[in-house]
Amino acid sequence: MAAGAASALFILDIKGRVLVWRDYRGDVSSLQAERFFTNYIQTQGDSDTQDPVVYDNGVTYMFIQHNNVYLMTATRQNCNAASLLLFLHRLVDVFKHYFEELEEESLRDNFVVVYELLDEMMDFGYPQFTEANILSEFIKTDAYRMEVSQKPPMAVTNAVSWRSEGINYKKNEVFLDVVENVNILVNSNGQIIRSEVVGALKMRTYLSGMPECKLGLNDRVLLEAQGRTTKGKAIDLDDIKFHQCVRLARFENDRTISFVPPDGAFDLMTYRLSTQVKPLIWVEAHVERHSKSRVEITVKARSQFKERSTATDVEIELPVPGDAINPDIRTSMGSAVYAPESDALSWKIKSFPGGKEYMLRAEFSLPSITDEEAVPERKAPIRVKFEIPYFTVSGIQVRYLKVLEKSGYQALPWVRYITMAGEYELRLV
């Protein structure tokens, strides 16, 4: 079943007036769209609560806002809304690539280029090329316009629209970073309410020609399909999303990740793990009021990962009363400073090995006298930031990364692993 096509694409100003209009199928007029949209903005008001997909009088409108302009498609067919909204976001990326920033003024200054881009990026209402670096090879703004007659780059006539031909490097290298962000929320009773790991395989490729890359992970489904034993080494990944260069049919067939990579940096794959994760750095805080005008905070920070790993650039942000002054702070490791502008104490530890526990004691004066029956103010959580190199929570491993190219050159693959704190909050104070 073919996905439906867009009838027209509109770029409108903040009041809903059409600035740029490209008609692809001739069944939605600019007057009709402008009348609908100006009316819609007036009735909806706040842009944060507007629905991005609206049906009106036989036409479905899909739009996004960027700075002081709206980008909108209109269609009379049953379209894939997510696909067209993604196309609008890609359109924003391309305009930003050409004009530095997308706003009404930059559009008015570049009408010719805008229409050229709209002609190449969508054909008869179907999205075509959305890679800015490929488009800029044959649609050149006046500043870069060459006198020679332009041939479309091979990538446009090629099945591989994200990579140009003729790329050449003296040294062929691939860098793969496996980055995992740990999101944890602990409530005041010490129970873990939310726990997830969001991972990404970030690549930077500096490869000549049209290389074919193959990547193998310790993915349970793949290893079992190959008849290998999976003694605790294999992992289950959820919500896997791939870059468009990955051959999905091949992955679904035999779980092999094979692709022709774009040149430079891109995210090859993202994934999620929803299994319960033990907090890698556990923080306990005890607040003791010695009198109405003096408070003491005792903090223990404990690393709950193996001793062979070390967390770096650890920063623990502890909330303190808003009127606290004259801090006296002592730490068993690292340094701590009072940041009155954010009502917090920032404790920084450069290197935090696994299986270690460090202490912080801080004493503050409280000059303002509060009513004992006053409602206690809502306390901010303890926030933790850290990085643990050469370590992943999920246990994901890159088993191999092969690069094959018809000229037969040897490429150097570099793989590294890193775990970072994402939204890491403990409501323990």
Side-chain angles (χ1 to χ4, degrees):
M1 185 186 81
S7 297
L9 193 144
F10 305 90
I11 303 176
L12 310 105
D13 67 13
I14 203 75
K15 291 181 178 167
R17 290 183 299 243
V18 172
L19 298 168
V20 173
W21 167 44
R22 182 69 181 83
D23 187 1
Y24 293 105
R25 303 178 81 88
D27 55 3
V28 177
S29 73
S30 108
L31 187 67
Q32 183 182 357
E34 188 174 288
R35 197 175 290 153
F36 153 75
F37 201 68
T38 45
N39 184 40
Y40 180 71
I41 289 174
Q42 284 162 7
T43 54
Q44 286 290 310
D46 183 16
S47 61
D48 293 341
T49 58
Q50 290 168 355
D51 293 326
V53 182
V54 183
Y55 181 79
D56 177 74
N57 208 12
V59 181
T60 305
Y61 298 94
M62 285 156 265
F63 67 90
I64 61 171
Q65 185 179 0
H66 184 84
N67 290 338
N68 60 354
V69 293
Y70 288 96
L71 293 90
M72 179 171 81
T73 61
T75 179
R76 288 188 179 276
Q77 300 185 9
N78 183 13
C79 282
N80 181 337
S83 165
L84 285 177
L85 287 168
L86 177 62
F87 175 77
L88 293 178
H89 283 287
R90 287 285 182 87
L91 194 58
V92 170
D93 293 340
V94 169
F95 286 154
K96 282 165 77 174
H97 174 84
Y98 272 85
F99 320 137
E100 288 298 324
E101 195 43 83
L102 170 60
E103 50 189 45
E104 186 178 337
E105 188 183 349
S106 62
L107 285 169
R108 289 188 185 281
D109 290 344
N110 291 285
F111 274 145
V112 174
V113 181
V114 168
Y115 278 106
E116 276 190 70
L117 287 167
L118 292 179
D119 280 346
E120 293 298 339
M121 291 179 71
M122 190 170 256
D123 188 20
F124 199 51
Y126 293 102
Q128 302 293 310
F129 314 109
T130 57
E131 299 286 327
N133 55 350
I134 299 296
L135 285 160
S136 57
E137 286 185 31
F138 66 108
I139 296 181
K140 298 177 184 290
T141 49
D142 288 342
Y144 300 108
R145 195 173 293 285
M146 293 166 67
E147 294 305 312
V148 294
S149 61
Q150 289 294 326
K151 276 199 308 188
M154 282 300 289
V156 170
T157 55
N158 203 339
V160 183
S161 67
W162 53 86
R163 186 181 179 91
S164 294
E165 298 224 343
I167 296 171
N168 195 34
Y169 288 99
K170 283 184 181 169
K171 192 176 181 184
N172 291 288
E173 293 180 301
V174 184
F175 298 89
L176 174 60
D177 289 350
V178 181
V179 181
E180 290 192 342
N181 283 288
V182 182
N183 297 330
I184 276 185
L185 180 59
V186 177
N187 71 5
S188 54
N189 302 324
Q191 293 172 311
I192 297 169
I193 299 172
R194 175 180 176 226
S195 161
E196 67 169 3
V197 177
V198 179
L201 270 59
K202 295 179 177 290
M203 286 193 93
R204 281 174 298 138
T205 60
Y206 306 103
L207 298 169
S208 307
M210 274 284 177
E212 173 86 28
C213 297
K214 286 185 182 166
L215 177 72
L217 302 170
N218 58 333
D219 173 27
R220 187 185 304 280
V221 180
L222 166 66
L223 295 175
E224 286 174 353
Q226 292 174 344
R228 302 187 184 207
T229 54
T230 56
K231 292 179 189 158
K233 289 278 176 79
I235 56 161
D236 294 308
L237 301 175
D238 302 322
D239 286 352
I240 297 176
K241 293 188 183 73
F242 287 114
H243 185 274
Q244 70 188 80
C245 66
V246 175
R247 294 190 170 91
L248 292 178
R250 180 99 190 259
F251 178 75
E252 282 164 13
N253 188 30
D254 61 8
R255 300 292 278 194
T256 306
I257 301 172
S258 70
F259 55 98
V260 175
D263 190 38
F266 66 101
D267 282 5
L268 175 69
M269 161 183 154
T270 59
Y271 60 90
R272 192 173 58 84
L273 266 143
S274 48
T275 50
Q276 189 88 330
V277 179
K278 186 164 78 169
L280 298 169
I281 292 180
W282 184 258
V283 183
E284 285 176 22
H286 180 64
V287 180
E288 197 176 338
R289 284 181 182 263
H290 290 297
S291 66
K292 284 184 185 174
S293 61
R294 215 171 106 251
V295 66
E296 186 179 16
I297 301 173
T298 311
V299 183
K300 277 186 201 167
R302 188 170 71 247
S303 52
Q304 303 193 123
F305 46 88
K306 292 200 171 95
E307 289 168 19
R308 64 169 182 262
S309 296
T310 300
T312 59
D313 298 325
V314 178
E315 186 179 344
I316 300 167
E317 191 181 276
L318 303 146
V320 296
D323 57 345
I325 56 167
N326 301 337
D328 176 22
I329 308 164
R330 297 182 299 284
T331 63
S332 64
M333 179 60 72
S335 62
V337 292
Y338 173 44
E341 69 280 357
S342 52
D343 294 335
L345 198 62
S346 177
W347 182 14
K348 292 183 179 175
I349 302 166
K350 202 84 188 130
S351 175
F352 200 143
K356 288 272 189 279
E357 184 172 288
Y358 297 129
M359 298 274 292
L360 174 144
R361 269 200 178 81
E363 219 173 275
F364 292 91
S365 299
L366 300 173
S368 53
I369 296 165
T370 54
D371 180 358
E372 287 184 5
E373 291 177 10
V375 179
E377 57 181 291
R378 191 172 170 276
K379 294 188 175 71
I382 297 169
R383 292 189 173 88
V384 186
K385 293 179 191 161
F386 59 81
E387 287 187 5
I388 309 175
Y390 319 115
F391 173 84
T392 57
V393 179
S394 64
I396 191 171
Q397 284 176 350
V398 176
R399 290 173 41 245
Y400 59 83
L401 176 54
K402 298 174 186 167
V403 179
L404 307 165
E405 213 277 333
K406 59 177 182 258
S407 64
Y409 62 70
Q410 290 293 308
L412 294 168
W414 304 89
V415 181
R416 65 177 180 173
Y417 302 88
I418 190 163
T419 294
M420 306 169 79
E423 292 174 11
Y424 198 105
E425 296 183 351
L426 303 100
R427 296 177 178 166
L428 296 175
V429 180

